[in-house]
Amino acid sequence: MAAPFLLEQQVAIAAVRRACSLTTTVFNKLVVGETLVKGDKSPVTVADFAAQAVINTVLSHAFPDDPIVGEEDAADLRTATPESDALRARVVELADDVLAQLPREHAGERAEWGLGRRWGSDALLGAIDRGCHVGGRAGRMWTLDPIDGTKGFLRGGQYAVCLALLVDARVELGIIGCPNLPADTDTDATTDDKGALFVAVRGHGAHQLPLEPSTQQQQQQQHRLLHMPRLALHDLSFLESVEKAHAALDTNARVAARLGVRAAPVRMDSQAKYAALARGGGGVYLRLPVAHGYQEKIWDHAPGSLLVEEAGGVISDYRGRPLDFGLGRTLGENFGVVAARKEVHAEVIAAVGAVLAEEAVEKEGEESVVRAMMNP
Ligand SMILES: Nc1ncnc2c1ncn2[C@@H]1O[C@H](COP(=O)(O)OS(=O)(=O)O)[C@@H](OP(=O)(O)O)[C@H]1O
Ligand SMILES: [Mg+2]
Ligand SMILES: [Mg+2]
Ligand SMILES: [Mg+2]
């Protein structure tokens, strides 16, 4: 997979693989008290913090000048309370256990990326806080979601470790580790192995690699170039969120009916949706806004968007405009996400527009009934 950003690819792959081994370990041992509820009411676990510490440590050693826009920060780990002390100790232990493993030469890992030693609390909390960059339009920066789909992670469902490199607000490299996604999509597959790593490089394709680093020869055998298949509209099935609070699932159903889609939607947490789409599942990922004022975050879409584009898809908001990764930490006002293979994307956008117009008329009708009842 020789391509631009070769060193960046190697570093990002090593960092995401190590973070995935950490999250898998934590899932098997997560105990009560290792999860917090953030200010926005969403959960964060010791694994989210520790995975961000691991990836930011690796990035900071390999590319010391690159800013990082990461989801988490260490404020909740720095307060002087017994709960915070215990949480911090656990995060530091988990991150250091993974970073201290010796560099695996067959996987291209190098000691100068911060591997093969323990870093301790100050360095690791500092690494987590390297993720506080504000984002923007100019220059190189990474964006990181250490666990995307934390709710999925907690329920043993899909989640993803997501990292992307942006240059002047354009995604150039996207890496997504999916520890719970089947390694093989072939329904006749004889194995039920879980775990897959997805790598997209702008202009150089979307790829699936094994999540565990193996020998060069095994890597080559298991390497798959991903293409979204051409599907007729009625053969699509929608990929969508699990949480009703994250996407307007009733509107999705109306769009599907309008397009003549027969299959039931596939609900999946996290950017595993983009990975499933890129390797041929479903055909459409539709995410229409529900919560007023919620702004989508760049780390929730940057690597997935490139994966889909490189596999033959188009991604836009529901108006058909490109997602703008240069506005800061968010994508700005929320006009949703529509990702589909290029042959059907325009028809999906048209169907979304028609359904949203219908819903607006219905809402106006309901409001005028209410007005009439209030002012008889
Ligand atoms: N209100 C609202 N609207 C839209 N999106 C929201 C909202 N609240 C949270 N989030 C973000 O959703 C991320 C998970 O998205 P998913 O599509 O995986 O959601 S779902 O769990 O499948 O329903 C989730 O990512 P993580 O926090 O990394 O898990 C959030 O960033
Ligand atoms: Mg979160
Ligand atoms: Mg996320
Ligand atoms: Mg997250």
Side-chain angles (χ1 to χ4, degrees), residues 71 145 147 149-150 241-243 246 269-270 273 287 294 300:
E71 179 181 358
D145 193 337
I147 295 187
T150 307
S241 293
V242 174
E243 299 288 328
H246 291 183
D269 306 273
S270 84
K273 289 188 275 296
R287 184 180 185 92
Y294 181 78
D300 280 327

Side-chain angles (χ1 to χ4, degrees), residues 311-329:
V314 173
I315 179 163
S316 70
D317 66 16
Y318 69 67
R319 305 167 304 173
R321 300 194 197 161
L323 304 185
D324 186 350
F325 292 100
L327 295 174
R329 290 172 67 86

Side-chain angles (χ1 to χ4, degrees), residues 187-208:
T187 43
D188 298 329
T190 47
T191 108
D192 57 359
D193 283 357
K194 279 194 309 185
L197 184 76
F198 298 88
V199 180
V201 187
R202 184 167 296 281
H204 292 266
H207 308 259
Q208 182 179 329

Side-chain angles (χ1 to χ4, degrees), residues 275-326:
L277 185 65
R279 69 180 188 179
V284 178
Y285 169 20
L286 194 52
R287 184 180 185 92
L288 301 173
V290 260
H292 299 291
Y294 181 78
Q295 298 193 318
E296 293 283 352
K297 308 300 184 290
I298 63 170
W299 53 79
D300 280 327
H301 301 283
S305 68
L306 185 60
L307 196 66
V308 165
E309 286 179 329
E310 288 297 320
V314 173
I315 179 163
S316 70
D317 66 16
Y318 69 67
R319 305 167 304 173
R321 300 194 197 161
L323 304 185
D324 186 350
F325 292 100

